[in-house]
Amino acid sequence: MSVAADTPAATGRSPSRTRRRFAAAEAYAYLAPGIAIVALVMLVPLAVGISFSFQNYVIFRPMSRGWNGVENYLELWTDRTFWLALANTARWTFWSVAFQLGLGLGLALILNRPFPGRAVFQSLVFLPWAVPTFLSGLNWQWLFNPIVSPLPGWLTAVGVLEEPRNILSDPDLALYGPITAMIWWGIPFFAITLLAALRSIPQDLYEAASIDGASPWQSFRHITVPFLMPMITITILLRTVWVANSPDLIFVMTEGGPANSSQTLPNYVFTSAYKSMDFGYASALATVLMAMLVIYSILLLFVRGRLGQ
Amino acid sequence: MKSITGAALWLVRLAYLAFALFPLFWLIRISLTPDDLLYSEGTTIWPSSLTLANFAYVIEESPFPVFFGNTVIVSLGTAAAVTVLAAGIGYAFSRFEFAGKRTLMVFLVITQLFPLVMVITPLYQLLAPIGLVNTRIGLIVVFTAFNLPFAAFLMHSFYEGIPRELEQAAMIDGCTRFQALIRIILPLMLPGIGATLGFVFTAAWSELLFSLMLITSETKKTFAVGLLSFVGKSGVDWGQMMAAATLALIPPAIFFTFIQKYLVGGLTAGAVKA
């Protein structure tokens, strides 16, 4: 808001400059309240959080609190759960986003062509996204439970399981439970953004292509894909970061278990902070996660820039 | 040939529909099943008789109505606050050129990279001295900040779909810019406002971890926290649990069904300009 307060002082300048300054002041007036709250509630705690990562800070041991340099980071280096959680985070994010993208693109293509009942169909297939995340987690946790759900029986019938049992209590399979829930919940988001992108492709391009004798596949390859690419990269970027950062489904469905087999970094951060009350170590974990996501995003945007040329 | 691809397409459509709806169908099916049938009949697609006893219990005897009310207050408060603030940010980004615009836009994108789990404890320490811990207002403030960046870009995309000439004409006729925004632009923005409200309402309704950390008293718990502690208790009652879950599903499902087509429309409008 300080910019707005400056403007009367600027009246002595040349008129166009004054007008520009006034426009800027007006823009800041529309922006300031929102930006201020984001900065206060996200940026300030983030900086404080990063500073925790260089401290010995366990709530139960207030007397031993103090700066300890990179000790938390060294501890992390030798922590086997950290490396396991890191590998799981990569698996969890990759499979979730890959299936959401594939199935979401398929759904967007289906919804882009008219068919009887399309409006109703669209509101029904988008419904999972309206389901609160914790509820998606509980819902799928129950679906994997052979006592109340036919799903384990069906998985046995098609040969995925040898007997109807709960995959969430199997260390080898537990992570696929939350992955399934995440795919189910996230398909609509991809479908919505990609459908919006599909609708913005000029239709006369397709007409021109078909007059020139292009096959449907060629039209898809040379018109649809290039037009969708910017939206696909930005959606992948957003979803990857959201999925990688989100502990909810895993916290609700497996709590990272059994025996850390489905532990991911955000869930490890949350349990370190919330259960062990080790804020220093939790912050170091979170800082590493954030650093990796920043590097990932820069790489993805760089690749996108290269492809765009 | 044409009828075969037609049939195949319908098969794919039905597969999508089944995958999307089966979990929800199952939730409702169990919530309507009498307790004894759950074990005697096993997991048949439809039980031989139905009951509303689980819903009656949840509504009349459990604390869920209180949790439900709290979540409505928090979600509506957040949705309203975010929409007003995002209307401001989106408008500034869409209609003004000013120093620092790019930086601010990049800043809002970068906030999406923050692992929110990281800010839980610092946030607790910042909110505690000003009395915002264990209050619904505190949750509204926190959720508003978290949801604002995406909502701002959503609103921006909707503004881009509205011609600038409209408010320029109004300003030539003597309106101030703010009057033009309120009287001319915002009425045209109703689909965008609706989409943003619905999007944020749904997101706030879903939030679990911050509510878990920031709310301690039973009377201020949100639905997510209440349901999770209900599930954590020993001797779970499947029917009651799923009845509670079904109730939690209704508001966001209604909200979302109304707004989803505006969401697609708004993103399309933004994509055309971009």
Side-chain angles (χ1 to χ4, degrees), chain A residues 26-28 30-31 34 41 45 52 57 103 107 121-123 126 129-132 134-135 138-139 142 145 148-150 184 196 241-242 245 247 274 279 287 297, chain B residues 13 16 19-20 23 26-27 30 43 88 98-99 112-115 118 121-123 125 145 148 177 199 205-206 209 213 224 227 238 241 245 249 252 256 260 267-268:
Chain A
E26 209 183 347
Y28 285 122
Y30 287 107
L31 283 165
V41 176
F52 283 172
Y57 187 7
L103 293 171
L107 185 56
F121 176 84
Q122 176 173 322
S123 57
F126 283 177
W129 205 40
V131 177
F134 68 92
L135 210 58
L138 287 174
N139 203 165
W142 297 332
N145 186 332
V148 284
S149 151
W184 177 78
V241 171
W242 283 348
N245 269 334
Y274 184 70
F279 292 172
T287 308
S297 309
Chain B
R13 288 175 197 140
Y16 268 108
F19 183 52
W26 200 254
L27 191 72
I30 298 277
T43 53
F98 55 92
Q112 300 296 301
L113 298 180
F114 296 173
M118 177 161 202
T121 37
L123 206 52
Q125 293 178 331
L148 191 49
R177 183 180 278 279
F199 182 88
W205 190 274
S206 300
L209 299 182
M213 199 76 170
L227 193 59
W238 294 106
M241 212 155 62
L249 189 65
F256 191 72
Q260 46 94 11
L267 289 167
T268 311

Coordinates of all heavy atoms in Angstrom, one line a residue, chain A residues 26-28 30-31 34 41 45 52 57 103 107 121-123 126 129-132 134-135 138-139 142 145 148-150 184 196 241-242 245 247 274 279 287 297, chain B residues 13 16 19-20 23 26-27 30 43 88 98-99 112-115 118 121-123 125 145 148 177 199 205-206 209 213 224 227 238 241 245 249 252 256 260 267-268:
Chain A
E26 N -3.0 2.0 -8.6 CA -4.3 1.5 -8.6 C -4.2 -0.1 -8.7 O -5.0 -0.8 -8.0 CB -5.1 2.0 -9.8 CG -6.5 2.1 -9.6 CD -7.3 2.6 -10.8 OE1 -6.6 3.1 -11.8 OE2 -8.5 2.5 -10.8
A27 N -3.3 -0.6 -9.5 CA -3.2 -2.0 -9.6 C -2.8 -2.6 -8.3 O -3.4 -3.6 -7.8 CB -2.1 -2.4 -10.7
Y28 N -1.9 -1.9 -7.6 CA -1.4 -2.5 -6.3 C -2.6 -2.4 -5.3 O -2.7 -3.3 -4.4 CB -0.3 -1.7 -5.7 CG 1.0 -2.0 -6.4 CD1 1.8 -1.0 -7.1 CD2 1.5 -3.3 -6.4 CE1 3.0 -1.3 -7.7 CE2 2.7 -3.6 -7.1 CZ 3.4 -2.6 -7.7 OH 4.6 -3.0 -8.3
Y30 N -5.7 -3.1 -5.9 CA -6.5 -4.3 -6.1 C -5.7 -5.6 -5.6 O -6.3 -6.5 -5.2 CB -6.8 -4.5 -7.6 CG -7.8 -3.5 -8.1 CD1 -7.5 -2.5 -8.9 CD2 -9.2 -3.7 -7.8 CE1 -8.4 -1.6 -9.4 CE2 -10.1 -2.8 -8.2 CZ -9.7 -1.7 -9.0 OH -10.7 -0.9 -9.5
L31 N -4.4 -5.5 -5.7 CA -3.6 -6.7 -5.4 C -3.3 -6.9 -3.9 O -3.3 -8.0 -3.4 CB -2.2 -6.6 -6.1 CG -2.1 -6.9 -7.5 CD1 -0.7 -6.3 -8.0 CD2 -2.2 -8.3 -7.8
G34 N -4.8 -9.4 -1.0 CA -4.6 -10.8 -1.3 C -3.1 -11.2 -1.1 O -2.8 -12.1 -0.5
V41 N 0.9 -15.6 5.6 CA 0.5 -17.0 6.1 C 1.4 -18.1 5.4 O 1.5 -19.1 5.9 CB -1.0 -17.2 5.8 CG1 -1.4 -18.6 6.2 CG2 -1.8 -16.2 6.6
P45 N 5.9 -18.1 7.5 CA 6.1 -19.4 8.2 C 7.1 -20.2 7.4 O 7.8 -21.0 8.0 CB 4.7 -20.0 8.1 CG 3.8 -18.9 7.9 CD 4.5 -17.9 7.2
F52 N 14.1 -23.4 11.3 CA 14.0 -24.6 12.2 C 14.9 -25.7 11.8 O 15.4 -26.5 12.6 CB 12.5 -25.1 12.2 CG 11.6 -24.3 13.0 CD1 10.2 -24.6 13.0 CD2 12.0 -23.2 13.8 CE1 9.3 -23.9 13.7 CE2 11.1 -22.5 14.5 CZ 9.7 -22.8 14.5
Y57 N 15.4 -28.8 17.7 CA 14.1 -28.3 18.2 C 13.1 -29.4 18.4 O 12.3 -29.8 17.4 CB 13.6 -27.2 17.2 CG 12.4 -26.5 17.6 CD1 11.8 -26.6 18.9 CD2 11.8 -25.6 16.8 CE1 10.7 -25.9 19.3 CE2 10.6 -24.8 17.2 CZ 10.1 -25.0 18.4 OH 9.0 -24.3 18.8
L103 N -5.6 -41.3 -18.4 CA -7.0 -41.5 -18.3 C -7.7 -40.1 -18.4 O -8.8 -40.1 -18.9 CB -7.3 -42.2 -17.0 CG -6.9 -43.6 -16.9 CD1 -7.1 -44.2 -15.5 CD2 -7.6 -44.5 -17.9
L107 N -10.5 -39.1 -21.2 CA -11.8 -38.6 -20.8 C -12.1 -37.3 -21.5 O -13.2 -37.0 -21.9 CB -11.9 -38.4 -19.3 CG -13.2 -38.0 -18.6 CD1 -14.3 -39.0 -19.0 CD2 -13.1 -37.9 -17.1
F121 N -23.3 -37.2 -18.2 CA -22.1 -38.0 -18.1 C -21.0 -37.2 -17.5 O -20.3 -37.6 -16.6 CB -21.8 -38.5 -19.5 CG -20.5 -39.3 -19.5 CD1 -20.5 -40.7 -19.2 CD2 -19.3 -38.7 -19.9 CE1 -19.3 -41.4 -19.3 CE2 -18.1 -39.5 -20.0 CZ -18.2 -40.8 -19.7
Q122 N -20.8 -36.0 -18.0 CA -19.7 -35.1 -17.6 C -19.8 -34.8 -16.1 O -18.8 -35.0 -15.3 CB -19.7 -33.8 -18.4 CG -18.6 -32.8 -17.9 CD -18.5 -31.6 -18.8 OE1 -18.6 -31.7 -20.0 NE2 -18.2 -30.5 -18.2
S123 N -21.0 -34.5 -15.6 CA -21.1 -34.1 -14.2 C -20.9 -35.3 -13.3 O -20.4 -35.2 -12.2 CB -22.4 -33.4 -13.9 OG -23.5 -34.2 -14.2
F126 N -17.0 -36.4 -13.3 CA -16.2 -35.4 -12.6 C -16.4 -35.4 -11.1 O -15.7 -34.8 -10.3 CB -16.5 -34.0 -13.1 CG -15.9 -33.6 -14.4 CD1 -16.1 -32.4 -15.0 CD2 -15.0 -34.5 -15.0 CE1 -15.5 -32.1 -16.2 CE2 -14.4 -34.2 -16.3 CZ -14.7 -33.0 -16.9
W129 N -13.8 -35.7 -8.0 CA -13.0 -34.6 -7.6 C -13.6 -33.7 -6.6 O -13.0 -33.0 -5.8 CB -12.6 -33.7 -8.8 CG -11.4 -32.9 -8.6 CD1 -10.3 -33.4 -8.0 CD2 -11.1 -31.6 -8.9 NE1 -9.3 -32.4 -7.9 CE2 -9.8 -31.3 -8.5 CE3 -11.9 -30.6 -9.5 CZ2 -9.3 -30.0 -8.7 CZ3 -11.3 -29.3 -9.7 CH2 -10.0 -29.1 -9.3
A130 N -15.0 -33.8 -6.5 CA -15.7 -33.1 -5.4 C -15.6 -33.9 -4.1 O -15.9 -33.3 -3.1 CB -17.2 -33.0 -5.8
V131 N -15.2 -35.1 -4.1 CA -15.1 -35.9 -2.9 C -13.9 -35.4 -2.1 O -12.8 -35.3 -2.6 CB -14.9 -37.4 -3.2 CG1 -14.7 -38.2 -1.9 CG2 -16.1 -37.9 -4.0
P132 N -14.1 -35.0 -0.9 CA -12.9 -34.5 -0.1 C -11.8 -35.6 0.0 O -12.1 -36.7 0.0 CB -13.6 -34.3 1.3 CG -15.0 -34.1 1.1 CD -15.3 -34.9 -0.1
F134 N -9.8 -36.6 2.3 CA -9.7 -37.5 3.4 C -10.8 -38.6 3.2 O -10.6 -39.8 3.5 CB -9.9 -36.8 4.7 CG -11.3 -36.2 4.9 CD1 -12.3 -37.0 5.5 CD2 -11.6 -35.0 4.5 CE1 -13.6 -36.4 5.7 CE2 -12.8 -34.4 4.7 CZ -13.8 -35.1 5.3
L135 N -11.9 -38.2 2.5 CA -13.0 -39.1 2.3 C -12.7 -40.1 1.2 O -13.0 -41.3 1.3 CB -14.3 -38.3 1.9 CG -15.6 -39.0 2.3 CD1 -15.6 -39.2 3.8 CD2 -16.7 -38.1 1.9
L138 N -10.5 -42.6 2.9 CA -11.3 -43.6 3.8 C -12.1 -44.5 2.9 O -12.2 -45.7 3.1 CB -12.3 -42.8 4.7 CG -11.6 -42.1 5.9 CD1 -12.7 -41.3 6.6 CD2 -11.0 -43.1 6.8
N139 N -12.8 -43.9 1.8 CA -13.6 -44.7 0.9 C -12.8 -45.9 0.3 O -13.2 -47.0 0.3 CB -14.1 -43.8 -0.2 CG -15.4 -44.3 -0.9 OD1 -16.0 -43.6 -1.6 ND2 -15.7 -45.6 -0.7
W142 N -11.7 -48.5 2.8 CA -12.8 -49.5 3.0 C -13.0 -50.4 1.8 O -13.2 -51.6 2.0 CB -14.1 -48.7 3.3 CG -14.0 -47.9 4.5 CD1 -13.3 -48.2 5.6 CD2 -14.7 -46.7 4.8 NE1 -13.4 -47.2 6.6 CE2 -14.3 -46.3 6.1 CE3 -15.6 -45.9 4.1 CZ2 -14.8 -45.1 6.7 CZ3 -16.1 -44.7 4.7 CH2 -15.7 -44.3 6.0
N145 N -10.8 -53.4 1.9 CA -11.0 -54.3 3.1 C -12.0 -55.4 2.7 O -13.2 -55.1 2.4 CB -11.6 -53.4 4.2 CG -11.8 -54.2 5.5 OD1 -11.9 -55.4 5.5 ND2 -11.7 -53.6 6.6
V148 N -15.8 -55.7 4.1 CA -17.0 -54.9 3.7 C -17.0 -54.6 2.2 O -17.9 -53.8 1.7 CB -17.0 -53.5 4.4 CG1 -17.5 -53.7 5.8 CG2 -15.7 -52.8 4.4
S149 N -16.1 -55.1 1.4 CA -16.0 -54.7 0.0 C -15.8 -55.9 -0.9 O -15.0 -56.8 -0.5 CB -15.0 -53.7 -0.2 OG -14.4 -53.8 -1.5
P150 N -16.4 -56.0 -2.1 CA -16.2 -57.1 -3.0 C -14.9 -56.9 -3.8 O -14.4 -57.8 -4.5 CB -17.3 -57.0 -3.9 CG -17.7 -55.5 -3.9 CD -17.3 -55.0 -2.6
W184 N -8.0 -42.1 -9.0 CA -9.4 -42.0 -9.0 C -9.9 -40.5 -8.8 O -10.7 -40.0 -9.5 CB -10.0 -42.9 -7.9 CG -11.5 -42.8 -7.8 CD1 -12.5 -43.4 -8.6 CD2 -12.3 -42.1 -6.8 NE1 -13.7 -43.1 -8.2 CE2 -13.6 -42.3 -7.1 CE3 -11.9 -41.3 -5.7 CZ2 -14.7 -41.8 -6.3 CZ3 -12.9 -40.8 -4.9 CH2 -14.3 -41.0 -5.2
A196 N -10.7 -28.0 -21.6 CA -10.7 -26.6 -21.9 C -9.7 -26.3 -23.0 O -10.0 -25.5 -23.9 CB -10.3 -25.8 -20.6
V241 N 3.6 -31.5 -8.5 CA 4.0 -30.8 -7.2 C 2.9 -31.1 -6.1 O 3.2 -31.4 -5.0 CB 4.1 -29.3 -7.5 CG1 4.3 -28.6 -6.2 CG2 5.3 -29.1 -8.4
W242 N 1.6 -31.0 -6.5 CA 0.6 -31.2 -5.6 C 0.6 -32.6 -5.0 O 0.5 -32.9 -3.8 CB -0.8 -30.9 -6.2 CG -1.1 -29.5 -6.3 CD1 -0.4 -28.4 -5.7 CD2 -2.2 -28.8 -7.0 NE1 -1.0 -27.2 -6.1 CE2 -2.1 -27.4 -6.8 CE3 -3.2 -29.3 -7.8 CZ2 -3.0 -26.6 -7.4 CZ3 -4.1 -28.4 -8.3 CH2 -4.0 -27.1 -8.2
N245 N 3.6 -33.3 -2.8 CA 3.5 -32.6 -1.6 C 2.3 -33.1 -0.7 O 2.2 -32.6 0.5 CB 3.2 -31.1 -1.8 CG 4.5 -30.4 -1.9 OD1 5.5 -30.8 -1.4 ND2 4.5 -29.3 -2.7
P247 N 0.2 -35.3 1.7 CA 0.3 -36.5 2.6 C -1.1 -37.1 3.0 O -1.1 -38.2 3.5 CB 0.9 -35.9 3.9 CG 0.5 -34.5 3.9 CD 0.2 -34.1 2.5
Y274 N 4.1 -34.0 13.9 CA 2.8 -34.1 14.7 C 2.9 -35.2 15.8 O 2.4 -35.0 16.8 CB 1.7 -34.4 13.7 CG 0.3 -34.5 14.3 CD1 -0.3 -33.4 14.7 CD2 -0.3 -35.7 14.3 CE1 -1.6 -33.5 15.2 CE2 -1.6 -35.8 14.8 CZ -2.2 -34.7 15.3 OH -3.5 -34.8 15.8
F279 N 10.5 -30.8 15.5 CA 10.3 -29.8 14.5 C 11.5 -29.6 13.6 O 11.4 -29.2 12.5 CB 9.8 -28.5 15.1 CG 8.4 -28.6 15.7 CD1 8.0 -27.5 16.5 CD2 7.6 -29.7 15.5 CE1 6.7 -27.6 17.1 CE2 6.4 -29.7 16.1 CZ 5.9 -28.7 16.8
T287 N 12.4 -29.1 3.8 CA 13.3 -28.3 3.0 C 13.9 -29.0 1.8 O 13.9 -28.6 0.7 CB 14.4 -27.7 3.9 OG1 13.8 -27.0 5.0 CG2 15.2 -26.6 3.1
S297 N 10.7 -28.4 -11.2 CA 9.9 -27.4 -11.9 C 10.7 -26.7 -12.9 O 10.3 -26.4 -14.0 CB 9.2 -26.5 -10.9 OG 8.6 -27.2 -9.9
Chain B
R13 N -17.0 -45.3 -22.3 CA -17.7 -44.3 -21.5 C -18.2 -45.0 -20.2 O -18.1 -44.5 -19.1 CB -18.9 -43.7 -22.3 CG -18.4 -42.8 -23.4 CD -19.6 -42.2 -24.2 NE -19.1 -41.6 -25.4 CZ -19.7 -41.8 -26.6 NH1 -20.8 -42.5 -26.7 NH2 -19.2 -41.2 -27.7
Y16 N -15.5 -45.7 -17.7 CA -15.2 -44.5 -16.9 C -16.2 -44.2 -15.8 O -15.9 -43.9 -14.7 CB -15.1 -43.2 -17.9 CG -13.8 -42.9 -18.4 CD1 -13.4 -43.2 -19.7 CD2 -12.8 -42.4 -17.6 CE1 -12.2 -42.9 -20.2 CE2 -11.5 -42.1 -18.1 CZ -11.2 -42.4 -19.4 OH -10.0 -42.1 -19.9
F19 N -15.9 -46.7 -13.0 CA -14.7 -46.4 -12.1 C -15.0 -45.2 -11.2 O -14.7 -45.2 -10.0 CB -13.5 -46.2 -13.0 CG -12.2 -46.0 -12.2 CD1 -11.8 -46.9 -11.2 CD2 -11.4 -44.9 -12.5 CE1 -10.6 -46.7 -10.5 CE2 -10.2 -44.7 -11.8 CZ -9.9 -45.6 -10.8
A20 N -15.6 -44.2 -11.8 CA -15.9 -42.9 -11.1 C -16.9 -43.2 -10.0 O -16.8 -42.6 -8.9 CB -16.3 -41.8 -12.0
P23 N -17.0 -46.5 -6.1 CA -16.7 -46.3 -4.7 C -17.8 -45.5 -4.0 O -18.1 -45.8 -2.8 CB -15.4 -45.4 -4.8 CG -14.8 -45.8 -6.1 CD -15.9 -46.0 -7.1
W26 N -20.7 -47.7 -3.4 CA -20.5 -48.7 -2.3 C -20.6 -48.0 -0.9 O -21.1 -48.6 0.0 CB -19.1 -49.4 -2.5 CG -19.1 -50.6 -1.7 CD1 -18.4 -50.9 -0.6 CD2 -19.8 -51.8 -2.0 NE1 -18.7 -52.1 -0.1 CE2 -19.5 -52.7 -1.0 CE3 -20.6 -52.2 -3.1 CZ2 -20.0 -54.0 -1.0 CZ3 -21.1 -53.5 -3.1 CH2 -20.9 -54.4 -2.1
L27 N -20.1 -46.8 -0.8 CA -20.2 -46.0 0.4 C -21.7 -45.9 0.8 O -22.1 -46.2 2.0 CB -19.7 -44.6 0.1 CG -19.4 -43.7 1.3 CD1 -18.2 -44.2 2.1 CD2 -19.2 -42.3 0.8
I30 N -23.3 -49.4 1.8 CA -23.0 -49.9 3.2 C -23.8 -49.1 4.2 O -24.2 -49.6 5.2 CB -21.5 -49.9 3.4 CG1 -20.8 -50.8 2.5 CG2 -21.2 -50.3 4.9 CD1 -20.7 -52.3 2.8
T43 N -20.6 -59.5 0.8 CA -20.4 -58.3 0.0 C -21.2 -58.5 -1.3 O -20.7 -58.4 -2.4 CB -19.0 -58.1 -0.4 OG1 -18.4 -59.3 -0.9 CG2 -18.2 -57.6 0.9
G88 N -9.8 -9.2 -6.9 CA -8.9 -8.1 -7.0 C -7.6 -8.5 -7.7 O -7.2 -7.8 -8.6
F98 N 2.2 -3.1 -14.9 CA 2.9 -2.3 -13.8 C 4.1 -3.0 -13.5 O 4.3 -4.2 -13.7 CB 2.0 -2.1 -12.6 CG 1.5 -3.5 -12.1 CD1 2.1 -4.1 -11.1 CD2 0.3 -4.0 -12.6 CE1 1.7 -5.3 -10.6 CE2 -0.2 -5.2 -12.1 CZ 0.5 -5.9 -11.1
A99 N 5.0 -2.2 -12.8 CA 6.3 -2.8 -12.4 C 6.1 -3.9 -11.4 O 5.3 -3.7 -10.5 CB 7.2 -1.6 -11.8
Q112 N 2.8 -22.5 -5.0 CA 2.3 -23.8 -5.2 C 3.3 -25.0 -5.0 O 3.0 -26.1 -4.9 CB 1.7 -23.9 -6.6 CG 0.6 -22.9 -6.9 CD -0.6 -23.1 -6.0 OE1 -1.2 -24.2 -6.1 NE2 -0.9 -22.1 -5.2
L113 N 4.6 -24.6 -4.9 CA 5.6 -25.6 -4.7 C 5.9 -25.9 -3.2 O 6.5 -26.8 -2.9 CB 7.0 -25.1 -5.3 CG 7.0 -24.9 -6.8 CD1 8.4 -24.4 -7.2 CD2 6.7 -26.1 -7.6
F114 N 5.4 -25.0 -2.4 CA 5.7 -25.1 -1.0 C 5.0 -26.4 -0.4 O 3.9 -26.7 -0.6 CB 5.1 -24.0 -0.1 CG 5.7 -22.6 -0.4 CD1 5.2 -21.5 0.1 CD2 6.8 -22.5 -1.3 CE1 5.7 -20.3 -0.2 CE2 7.3 -21.3 -1.6 CZ 6.8 -20.1 -1.0
P115 N 5.8 -27.3 0.3 CA 5.2 -28.3 1.0 C 4.5 -27.7 2.2 O 5.1 -27.2 3.1 CB 6.4 -29.2 1.4 CG 7.6 -28.7 0.8 CD 7.3 -27.2 0.4
M118 N 5.3 -28.2 5.8 CA 6.4 -27.4 6.4 C 6.0 -26.3 7.3 O 6.6 -25.9 8.2 CB 7.3 -26.9 5.3 CG 8.5 -26.1 5.8 SD 9.7 -26.1 4.5 CE 11.1 -25.7 5.5
T121 N 4.0 -26.1 11.8 CA 4.4 -25.7 13.1 C 4.7 -24.2 13.2 O 4.3 -23.5 14.2 CB 5.6 -26.5 13.6 OG1 6.5 -26.8 12.4 CG2 5.2 -27.8 14.2
P122 N 5.4 -23.6 12.2 CA 5.6 -22.1 12.3 C 4.3 -21.4 12.4 O 4.2 -20.4 13.1 CB 6.4 -21.8 11.1 CG 7.0 -23.0 10.6 CD 6.2 -24.1 11.1
L123 N 3.4 -21.9 11.6 CA 2.1 -21.2 11.5 C 1.4 -21.3 12.9 O 0.8 -20.3 13.4 CB 1.2 -21.9 10.5 CG 0.1 -21.0 9.8 CD1 0.7 -19.7 9.3 CD2 -0.5 -21.8 8.7
Q125 N 2.8 -21.4 15.7 CA 3.5 -20.4 16.6 C 3.1 -19.0 16.3 O 3.1 -18.1 17.2 CB 5.0 -20.6 16.6 CG 5.3 -22.0 17.2 CD 6.8 -22.3 17.1 OE1 7.5 -21.8 16.2 NE2 7.3 -23.1 18.1
A145 N -5.3 -18.1 2.6 CA -4.0 -17.9 2.0 C -3.6 -19.1 1.1 O -3.1 -18.9 0.0 CB -3.0 -17.8 3.1
L148 N -5.7 -19.0 -2.3 CA -5.8 -17.8 -3.1 C -5.0 -17.8 -4.4 O -5.5 -17.4 -5.4 CB -5.3 -16.6 -2.2 CG -5.6 -15.2 -2.7 CD1 -7.0 -15.1 -3.2 CD2 -5.3 -14.2 -1.7
R177 N -13.1 3.6 -12.5 CA -12.7 2.2 -12.8 C -13.4 1.2 -11.9 O -13.9 0.2 -12.2 CB -11.2 2.0 -12.8 CG -10.8 0.6 -13.2 CD -9.3 0.5 -13.2 NE -8.6 1.0 -14.3 CZ -8.5 0.3 -15.5 NH1 -9.1 -0.9 -15.6 NH2 -7.9 0.8 -16.5
F199 N -14.9 -24.1 -6.3 CA -13.6 -24.7 -6.2 C -13.0 -24.6 -4.8 O -12.5 -25.5 -4.2 CB -12.7 -24.0 -7.3 CG -11.3 -24.6 -7.3 CD1 -11.0 -25.7 -8.2 CD2 -10.3 -24.1 -6.5 CE1 -9.8 -26.3 -8.2 CE2 -9.0 -24.7 -6.6 CZ -8.8 -25.8 -7.4
W205 N -13.4 -27.7 2.3 CA -14.2 -28.8 2.9 C -13.3 -30.0 3.1 O -13.5 -30.8 4.0 CB -15.4 -29.1 2.0 CG -16.4 -30.0 2.6 CD1 -16.3 -31.4 2.6 CD2 -17.5 -29.7 3.4 NE1 -17.4 -31.9 3.3 CE2 -18.2 -30.9 3.7 CE3 -18.1 -28.5 3.7 CZ2 -19.3 -30.9 4.5 CZ3 -19.3 -28.5 4.5 CH2 -19.9 -29.7 4.8
S206 N -12.3 -30.2 2.2 CA -11.5 -31.3 2.2 C -10.3 -31.3 3.2 O -9.7 -32.3 3.4 CB -10.8 -31.5 0.8 OG -11.8 -31.7 -0.2
L209 N -5.2 -31.9 7.5 CA -4.0 -31.8 8.4 C -3.9 -30.5 9.3 O -3.6 -30.6 10.4 CB -2.7 -32.0 7.6 CG -2.6 -33.3 6.8 CD1 -1.3 -33.4 6.1 CD2 -2.8 -34.5 7.8
M213 N -4.2 -30.1 13.4 CA -3.1 -29.4 14.2 C -3.7 -28.2 14.9 O -3.3 -28.0 16.0 CB -2.0 -29.0 13.2 CG -0.7 -28.7 13.9 SD 0.1 -30.3 14.3 CE 1.7 -29.7 14.8
A224 N -13.7 -33.5 8.8 CA -12.6 -34.4 8.5 C -12.0 -34.9 9.8 O -11.7 -36.1 9.9 CB -11.5 -33.6 7.7
L227 N -14.4 -37.2 11.7 CA -14.6 -38.6 11.0 C -13.4 -39.4 11.3 O -13.5 -40.6 11.6 CB -14.8 -38.4 9.5 CG -15.3 -39.6 8.8 CD1 -16.6 -40.1 9.3 CD2 -15.5 -39.3 7.3
W238 N -19.3 -50.0 10.8 CA -19.2 -49.6 9.4 C -20.3 -48.8 8.9 O -20.1 -47.8 8.2 CB -19.1 -50.9 8.5 CG -17.8 -51.7 8.8 CD1 -17.7 -52.9 9.4 CD2 -16.5 -51.4 8.3 NE1 -16.4 -53.3 9.5 CE2 -15.7 -52.4 8.8 CE3 -15.9 -50.3 7.6 CZ2 -14.3 -52.4 8.6 CZ3 -14.6 -50.3 7.4 CH2 -13.8 -51.3 7.9
M241 N -20.2 -45.2 10.2 CA -19.1 -44.5 9.7 C -19.4 -44.1 8.2 O -19.2 -42.9 7.9 CB -17.9 -45.4 9.7 CG -16.6 -44.8 9.9 SD -15.4 -45.9 10.6 CE -15.3 -47.2 9.3
A245 N -19.9 -40.4 6.5 CA -19.1 -40.1 5.3 C -20.0 -39.6 4.1 O -19.7 -38.7 3.4 CB -18.2 -41.3 4.8
L249 N -20.2 -35.9 2.1 CA -20.0 -35.8 0.7 C -21.0 -34.9 0.0 O -20.7 -34.3 -1.1 CB -20.3 -37.3 0.2 CG -20.0 -37.6 -1.3 CD1 -18.5 -37.4 -1.5 CD2 -20.4 -39.0 -1.5
P252 N -20.2 -30.7 -0.9 CA -19.2 -30.4 -2.0 C -19.7 -31.0 -3.3 O -19.5 -30.5 -4.4 CB -17.9 -31.1 -1.6 CG -18.3 -32.0 -0.5 CD -19.5 -31.5 0.2
F256 N -20.1 -28.7 -6.5 CA -19.3 -29.0 -7.7 C -20.1 -29.3 -8.9 O -19.7 -28.9 -10.0 CB -18.4 -30.2 -7.3 CG -17.3 -30.4 -8.4 CD1 -16.2 -29.5 -8.4 CD2 -17.3 -31.4 -9.3 CE1 -15.2 -29.6 -9.4 CE2 -16.3 -31.6 -10.2 CZ -15.3 -30.7 -10.3
Q260 N -19.1 -27.2 -12.3 CA -18.0 -27.8 -13.2 C -18.0 -27.3 -14.6 O -17.0 -27.2 -15.2 CB -18.0 -29.4 -13.1 CG -19.4 -30.0 -13.1 CD -19.7 -30.5 -14.5 OE1 -18.9 -30.4 -15.4 NE2 -21.0 -30.8 -14.7
L267 N -11.8 -21.8 -18.1 CA -10.4 -22.2 -18.5 C -10.3 -22.1 -20.1 O -9.2 -21.7 -20.6 CB -10.1 -23.6 -18.1 CG -9.8 -23.7 -16.5 CD1 -9.8 -25.1 -16.1 CD2 -8.6 -23.0 -16.1
T268 N -11.4 -22.4 -20.8 CA -11.3 -22.3 -22.2 C -11.1 -20.8 -22.6 O -10.3 -20.5 -23.4 CB -12.6 -22.8 -22.9 OG1 -12.9 -24.1 -22.4 CG2 -12.5 -22.9 -24.4

